[in-house]
Amino acid sequence: MHLAIVLLWTLFILVEHDLFPHSNSELVTQHYLGMTYENRPMYYLKISQPSNKAKKIIWMDCGIHAREWISPAFCQWFVKEILQNYKTDPKIKSFLQNLDIYILPVLNIDGYIYSWTTERLWRKSRSAHINGTCFGTDLNRNFNGSWGSIGVSHNCSSLIFCGTGPESEPETKAVARFIEKRKSDVLCFLTIHSYGQYILTPYGYKTDLASNHQDLKAAVALKEKHGTNFTVGPTSLILYKNSGSSRDWAHMIGIPFSYTFELRDKGAYGFILPPDQIQPTCEETTAAVMTIIEYVNQKHFPNSAVAVTSGSLWLGLSVLFTWTLS
């Protein structure tokens, strides 16, 4: 069995049966989000330092596309990193005073399971269309962010079928309703994909820059962990145009920081990333995500955050990012 699957189900078992150490079970809890098309429950993990103060939210989801197995593996790794280091790492201590982290380990559960039981490169959900003659919706074309306008297909047999309407799929609707209810508290929306080694900012459906694109750029200080280069910038300018993405939708409803991560690699292995690349991929992505969270914390809670300066970078690693707007 692929290591990503082992990591995923191990984490679910630990949370479900309360097998975390006592201090960690106080920090991370499991919560119901909704049901998939095939009636599987969706759960998110809430990482929250016990406190009486109202806190803001960082959202992260993984596995919206079934075949991108490194994505759920990263979500599990990231939870592990927080649980192992929150007592000793001053930056994690700092942002957990102000921020709760909500993590959806697998958004597209039906498709993900199908990808390792039946068709490894399955991408979409598993909803049935046209009397069961075709299956699946691209959940990252199904959000209500200029839905159906560009970079999608209305043919249900297509890999980028956008669904029958915005939020037509139960998985998309569950995430959207949850985030919309809390959007005034959500400061950052992270959605983890593969592959290509990009960090994508709004927008995908138009070439206009987000109003805070300089702030979005400033938050991304990639760390030179394994010599992996990422390209950072608006989706429509550095990759391709698409509509109905969760990243654009999140920014359009008012969430200030919204990113799509495209993890390793650049195509040598693509979706079939070898197991020996799981750990280095997770390590370098953790460094980038931690930097974004610390930036958000510093910006919104300047009196309590541990400052990030050019002489004091996360984990003492050098800044590495490429901004391609030219």
Side-chain angles (χ1 to χ4, degrees):
M1 185 178 290
H2 193 282
L3 181 56
I5 300 169
V6 174
L7 288 168
L8 170 67
W9 291 113
T10 298
L11 181 66
F12 275 143
I13 290 168
L14 288 173
V15 176
E16 181 70 22
H17 297 283
D18 195 25
L19 298 179
F20 284 114
H22 178 67
S23 59
N24 286 345
S25 64
E26 291 180 354
L27 188 74
V28 60
T29 52
Q30 178 179 264
H31 302 269
Y32 176 79
L33 182 68
M35 299 294 288
T36 70
Y37 178 82
E38 293 181 340
N39 291 316
R40 294 184 173 96
M42 301 170 67
Y43 295 101
Y44 66 91
L45 302 177
K46 179 181 179 181
I47 300 176
S48 179
Q49 188 78 50
S51 172
N52 292 325
K53 68 182 287 187
K55 291 192 272 186
K56 297 296 186 180
I57 295 170
I58 305 291
W59 170 270
M60 181 192 299
D61 63 66
C62 291
I64 194 171
H65 289 144
R67 63 193 180 186
E68 298 169 8
W69 284 7
I70 188 60
S71 171
F74 170 71
C75 263
Q76 316 322 310
W77 182 276
F78 186 78
V79 172
K80 174 190 73 70
E81 287 295 296
I82 296 291
L83 298 185
Q84 287 183 349
N85 299 309
Y86 78 98
K87 291 182 178 179
T88 57
D89 190 301
K91 291 181 181 293
I92 296 177
K93 279 185 175 181
S94 175
F95 66 63
L96 285 180
Q97 292 176 9
N98 306 310
L99 303 170
D100 290 338
I101 304 175
Y102 290 61
I103 298 178
L104 181 59
V106 184
L107 196 161
N108 180 10
I109 299 172
D110 296 345
Y112 183 63
I113 291 174
Y114 190 77
S115 74
W116 56 266
T117 60
T118 307
E119 186 175 334
R120 172 62 183 88
L121 293 179
W122 187 258
R123 169 184 169 94
K124 301 184 288 180
S125 67
R126 290 296 300 161
S127 53
H129 303 281
I130 313 181
N131 297 319
T133 58
C134 59
F135 293 86
T137 294
D138 183 343
L139 299 178
N140 201 42
R141 302 292 187 276
N142 191 237
F143 283 82
N144 193 17
S146 192
W147 176 86
S149 62
I150 194 169
V152 303
S153 174
H154 294 274
N155 178 349
C156 64
S157 297
S158 170
L159 289 177
I160 53 173
F161 174 54
C162 60
T164 57
E167 299 171 16
S168 61
E169 307 307 299
E171 298 88 351
T172 309
K173 188 174 294 183
V175 172
R177 286 181 175 176
F178 180 82
I179 296 295
E180 284 171 348
K181 288 178 181 178
R182 295 160 176 80
K183 64 182 180 181
S184 61
D185 291 322
V186 180
L187 298 180
C188 184
F189 185 96
L190 304 171
T191 182
I192 313 298
H193 297 236
S194 73
Y195 59 91
Q197 296 171 202
Y198 295 95
I199 298 182
L200 303 171
T201 63
Y203 295 98
Y205 72 94
K206 62 180 180 179
T207 56
D208 298 3
L209 297 177
S211 59
N212 67 332
H213 76 275
Q214 291 293 349
D215 219 10
L216 287 163
K217 182 173 90 170
V220 181
L222 285 182
K223 303 304 182 261
E224 193 174 40
K225 184 71 175 175
H226 295 285
T228 303
N229 290 293
F230 283 72
T231 302
V232 184
T235 309
S236 60
L237 296 179
I238 68 170
L239 191 55
Y240 49 66
K241 291 183 179 180
N242 67 339
S243 57
S245 73
S246 63
R247 173 204 59 250
D248 284 1
W249 164 82
H251 198 65
M252 292 166 73
I253 66 170
I255 296 172
F257 293 90
S258 184
Y259 301 93
T260 300
F261 275 71
E262 298 282 358
L263 308 186
R264 291 192 190 187
D265 59 3
K266 286 184 174 291
Y269 295 102
F271 302 115
I272 317 293
L273 198 67
D276 63 3
Q277 290 199 33
I278 294 175
Q279 181 168 337
T281 301
C282 291
E283 288 175 346
E284 69 201 8
T285 309
T286 295
V289 169
M290 290 289 195
T291 299
I292 290 173
I293 293 174
E294 171 55 24
Y295 182 90
V296 172
N297 185 40
Q298 180 183 342
K299 183 175 181 63
H300 289 271
F301 303 96
N303 295 326
S304 62
V306 178
V308 176
T309 67
S310 59
S312 177
L313 291 171
W314 182 247
L315 298 177
L317 301 167
S318 59
V319 175
L320 172 68
F321 67 83
T322 304
W323 181 255
T324 55
L325 286 181
S326 57

